[in-house]
Amino acid sequence: MNRHQKEKADEASGPGRPTLKTLAFMTGLGVTTVSRALKDAPEIGAETRRRVQLVAKQIGYRPNRAGVRLRTGKTNVISLVLNTEHEIMSFVSDIIYGVSEVIADTPYHLIVTPYSRSQDPLDPIRYLVETGSADGVIISRTQPNDPRARYMLERGIPFATHGRTDMGLIHPYHDFDNYAFAAEAVRHLAGLGRRRLALLAPPVELTYHGHTLAGFADALSEVGASEIPFNTVSIDHSIEQIRMRTAQLMRRESRPDGFISSAAAATLAIVAGIEDAGLKLGRDVDVVSKQSSELLHLFRSELLVVNENFRLAGAELARSVLGWIGGAAPGTLQSLSEPGEVQAYRRPA
Amino acid sequence: MNRHQKEKADEASGPGRPTLKTLAFMTGLGVTTVSRALKDAPEIGAETRRRVQLVAKQIGYRPNRAGVRLRTGKTNVISLVLNTEHEIMSFVSDIIYGVSEVIADTPYHLIVTPYSRSQDPLDPIRYLVETGSADGVIISRTQPNDPRARYMLERGIPFATHGRTDMGLIHPYHDFDNYAFAAEAVRHLAGLGRRRLALLAPPVELTYHGHTLAGFADALSEVGASEIPFNTVSIDHSIEQIRMRTAQLMRRESRPDGFISSAAAATLAIVAGIEDAGLKLGRDVDVVSKQSSELLHLFRSELLVVNENFRLAGAELARSVLGWIGGAAPGTLQSLSEPGEVQAYRRPA
DNA sequence: GCTATATACTGAAACGTTACAGATTGTCAC
DNA sequence: GTGACAATCTGTAACGTTTCAGTATATAGC
């Protein structure tokens, strides 16, 4: 037994997980051949290929991620970048599950990269890109002129945004049609005879703030209703602040008779504020709200809701990033989710 | 210039991120010396050490994760294993932020490893251990005799559980004192004159089901109240099912005058069921519920709440796992979080 | 002046993978 | 029989890191 064979035997008898070397020893082939056979390279004989793949499956071979990553630079990691203060709670949970669903039968792992209020949102992105920690990135809280998207485009790292940008640059995104949501909400309220509508919008810096406002404004003039300004707070404000501002607004003579809310948690605060002012939901005022889980109707059956599916969003975003990594054109990886109808509560059977 | 120096120069002039080789070239030292200088090894001269560390900081050197991982087997990854169907929504979000908070200034990354209803809960754990994908694991939905904990103990991989086991084996955990919660809730309801109490418990298979039931039972006999059985549903059941069962129960002659609920979402369903039966919260029945975010009081001001802080749990769990990885004794990494008092709603100023 | 010993540093090897540049066959044309 | 060529396989090097086994120099002991 020469030195070479001894080494191979040592390796194969070791208790650790199998490597290409183990497979090479077992099949009697070279490491290179095994490597190529496993990835269906054309210059490997059909029988050899089948044999190697069979043995690999039998002994449960799994490529070592560190080896692949070191050699090729491919991390097989998707990073989801989240704000630790301002993400909607169900957004975090659902988008993670949506992404997971899609990457489940791929070699990808999902890492969560959080950043806090105090940090520059660009920080985590720079970290990821500079350390080459991920093959693809998903970001939320997208802005019209988003430095993160710009940065990643410059650096050529695949990403997808939840929400659109408006910089004339092309990249994958998934978005909910908030223009349509706001417009539909206005029309629905108008249909109920409401004429003086207030909007609790997303924070100004995010792109969908603009979409929401546009849908709101266009539909207002379409139905001939008017806006009661309510822009001292956004859905990013605390429950207490929204509640207080709502109560203040509702005590004024020129109070709204309809609300549109872009987030479910904020809607709870609006309703509390309305009731603080001694008014009654459904009688004095109607509220249309987006929600991502079916809870608002339990809260107050008078609420009118439109559902936004974050799990779907996560799945779409993951598909987009994987698509881009796989070489698809970024422009073909954009999707917009249309809102369903405004739903009133229906008593269960 | 000999072959060796040429290589070094090539490397140093390259556009990629700096490696140990880059640092070695810049400082005129060997790669080995640089490596040891960066980790404060004792056999490196004090001045050399400072010099290397200075240069490393200046050019923003960051160790290549794949290199470290391949050489040492250390992944610098913590995996959070989550069920995609039954985790409480805010649990996912908060625990991720709690973990992130703790690992923020460490080299650790957080990967989320989900598993679905159909899967054996052991599957994702096996995958992580077999592929060596993480240095530490955090699991939730802990059972008294938990095969996952047993498996990881056998394999010697550090982990922490959210909730305790009861197998006579020692491992890090963080738990909320659900015995105390249930007991306090009973006492509070008794203090309000409620004598016939129903408990919406966690699913039977989880350890804290037992804790909750024990606290409930002990306090019942302590205050001389009686139990109205309500064990056809658990907090894992759907909102609709809980609502229906609650309504059924409340229409019976022997209906409870007090509820204790182990989860906020389930509480919404209980309240809906109570109201479906034509009864009124605070008058006909009182409800004490755990919650992880301050929303229940907005929902119905009559609700009585006890807060459970999942963000804290995430932080504790992360600290435990890191501690175990760092060599601390598993038995010293266990913590129990005591519930605060039962809180009634106080009108804001 | 010599050996022993501590101090400060270094090259080579290895972790598991893939890419490059061959090497060995067999087949076919002529 | 020879050269060309395709088909199939192989060894070596490299990715960036740490560990092992040194090497060189200075200091101390006597």
Side-chain angles (χ1 to χ4, degrees), chain A residues 179-191 194-195 197 213-227:
Chain A
Y179 179 96
F181 158 69
E184 267 309 310
V186 168
R187 289 189 203 105
H188 194 94
L189 289 171
R194 305 301 187 182
R195 321 298 304 166
L197 309 183
L213 255 63
F216 183 64
D218 286 359
L220 275 183
S221 63
E222 174 190 320
V223 303
S226 65
E227 172 180 10

Side-chain angles (χ1 to χ4, degrees), chain A residues 194 259 267 270-271 274-275 279-288 299-304:
Chain A
R194 305 301 187 182
F259 269 96
T267 303
I270 289 178
V271 172
I274 289 171
E275 296 174 352
L279 300 173
K280 187 162 165 14
L281 199 62
R283 185 191 62 193
D284 305 309
V285 57
D286 275 307
V287 177
V288 178
F299 177 57
R300 293 289 185 272
S301 58
E302 296 86 0
L303 283 170
L304 304 164

Side-chain angles (χ1 to χ4, degrees), chain B residues 108-319:
Chain B
Y108 285 91
H109 284 179
L110 170 66
I111 85 174
V112 175
T113 309
Y115 66 100
S116 60
R117 192 195 324 250
S118 55
Q119 271 182 319
D120 184 348
L122 204 46
D123 279 355
I125 311 293
R126 274 206 214 92
Y127 168 81
L128 289 171
V129 171
E130 282 172 10
T131 61
S133 289
D135 297 334
V137 176
I138 295 172
I139 62 175
S140 67
R141 300 184 65 81
T142 308
Q143 307 189 3
N145 189 331
D146 199 300
R148 302 169 300 170
R150 195 182 295 281
Y151 179 83
M152 289 189 278
L153 274 172
E154 276 168 15
R155 302 314 195 86
I157 181 175
F159 67 98
T161 62
H162 184 238
R164 283 162 283 176
T165 58
D166 187 17
M167 317 182 283
L169 297 177
I170 294 172
H171 60 84
Y173 64 76
H174 176 83
D175 204 357
F176 182 80
D177 190 342
N178 287 285
Y179 179 96
F181 158 68
E184 268 309 311
V186 168
R187 288 189 203 105
H188 193 93
L189 288 171
L192 297 172
R194 304 301 186 181
R195 322 297 304 167
R196 310 163 52 73
L197 309 183
L199 171 67
L200 181 60
V204 274
E205 66 270 23
L206 306 189
T207 312
Y208 81 113
H209 173 264
H211 297 152
T212 307
L213 255 63
F216 183 64
D218 287 359
L220 275 184
S221 63
E222 174 191 321
V223 302
S226 66
E227 173 181 10
I228 306 294
F230 190 44
N231 42 32
T232 51
V233 279
S234 76
I235 58 170
D236 265 11
H237 284 79
S238 72
I239 295 289
E240 291 74 25
Q241 283 180 298
I242 299 172
R243 178 177 187 169
M244 192 189 66
R245 293 288 179 195
T246 305
Q248 282 178 357
L249 185 67
M250 295 310 285
R251 287 188 181 110
R252 288 218 279 269
E253 203 164 339
S254 63
R255 64 165 191 253
D257 57 6
F259 269 96
I260 297 173
S261 167
S262 289
T267 302
L268 304 187
I270 290 178
V271 172
I274 290 170
E275 296 175 353
D276 286 345
L279 300 172
K280 188 165 163 14
L281 198 63
R283 184 192 65 191
D284 305 309
V285 59
D286 275 307
V287 178
V288 177
S289 175
K290 267 207 297 187
Q291 68 173 0
S292 56
S293 48
E294 312 267 351
L295 294 177
L296 286 179
H297 275 154
L298 288 172
F299 176 57
R300 293 288 186 273
S301 57
E302 296 87 359
L303 283 170
L304 304 163
V305 302
V306 174
N307 292 310
E308 174 170 6
N309 188 340
F310 288 137
R311 193 156 184 155
L312 174 75
E316 277 304 315
L317 288 166
R319 262 189 281 272

Side-chain angles (χ1 to χ4, degrees), chain A residues 10 13 20 74 89 139 184 193 203 213 272 276 292 307 310 320 328:
Chain A
D10 282 354
S13 65
L20 288 182
K74 181 130 212 280
M89 200 167 268
I139 62 175
E184 267 309 310
L213 255 63
D276 286 345
S292 57
N307 293 310
F310 287 138
S320 294

